[in-house]
């Protein structure tokens, strides 16, 4: 899969007028993914016993399901509440399990506003807005 993306990424220009172009990130990301995939295949072929790997159970499984539920909630809510509100809710739900509620709230709102400003205002990426 990474090889297909690597080949497809050359359809975009690697450089632009002000530096890296739209093909810069896909070329490097798919190239790194390809190298890591080759390492993983080598380790698999080398004989690592698959029975040693186990699925999470107990609290680990609950944590995985909680994060998965938060991701599903994020995807469902983002068209209705926009990027800032939904991202703040998502981050708060994840952070509130390990930090005090006010720290989780401050970090989630701050990170959401920072990412909105970075992508929407500085990079010109259109993000979902609040509203139905």
């Amino acid at each position: 899969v990474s090889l297909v993306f690597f080949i497809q990424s050359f359809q975009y220009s690697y450089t632009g007028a002000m530096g890296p172009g739209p093909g810069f990130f896909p070329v490097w990301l798919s190239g790194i993914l390809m190298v890591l995939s080759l390492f993983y295949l080598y380790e698999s072929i080398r004989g690592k016993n698959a029975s040693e790997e186990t699925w999470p159970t107990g609290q680990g499984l609950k944590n995985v399901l909680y994060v998965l539920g938060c991701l599903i909630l994020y995807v469902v809510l983002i068209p209705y509440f926009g990027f800032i509100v939904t991202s703040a809710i998502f981050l708060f739900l994840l952070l509130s399990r390990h930090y005090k509620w006010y720290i989780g709230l401050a970090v989630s709102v701050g990170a959401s506003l920072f990412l909105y400003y970075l992508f929407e205002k500085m990079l010109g990426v259109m993000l979902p807005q609040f509203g139905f």
Side-chain angles (χ1 to χ4, degrees):
V1 171
S2 59
L3 178 63
V4 171
F5 284 120
F6 187 72
I7 292 169
Q8 291 293 324
S9 66
F10 287 109
Q11 292 180 357
Y12 303 104
S13 63
Y14 188 74
T15 58
M18 297 179 65
F24 180 82
F25 185 68
V27 165
W28 280 97
L29 185 64
S30 59
I32 291 169
L33 184 62
M34 208 168 19
V35 170
L36 292 175
S37 298
L38 290 173
F39 282 131
Y40 183 74
L41 285 172
Y42 172 74
E43 286 292 320
S44 296
I45 293 171
R46 203 174 79 173
K48 189 174 182 179
N49 192 353
S51 64
E52 293 174 6
E53 297 178 16
T54 60
W55 287 90
T57 58
Q59 187 61 35
L61 180 61
K62 287 179 187 176
N63 291 339
V64 169
L65 292 176
Y66 182 77
V67 171
L68 185 61
C70 288
L71 285 170
I72 291 170
L73 184 67
Y74 184 83
V75 170
V76 169
L77 292 181
I78 199 161
Y80 300 107
F81 295 109
F83 177 81
I84 296 173
V85 174
T86 308
S87 296
I89 292 170
F90 173 72
L91 289 173
F92 178 74
L93 289 173
L94 293 179
L95 293 174
S96 65
R97 295 181 77 193
H98 301 287
Y99 298 99
K100 295 180 181 175
W101 71 269
Y102 53 87
I103 293 174
L105 183 64
V107 170
S108 62
V109 170
S112 298
L113 289 172
F114 171 75
L115 289 172
Y116 174 79
Y117 178 76
L118 176 70
F119 282 98
E120 183 83 25
K121 303 299 181 188
M122 293 182 74
L123 297 175
V125 176
M126 292 186 62
L127 298 173
Q129 300 295 319
F130 183 77
F132 297 90

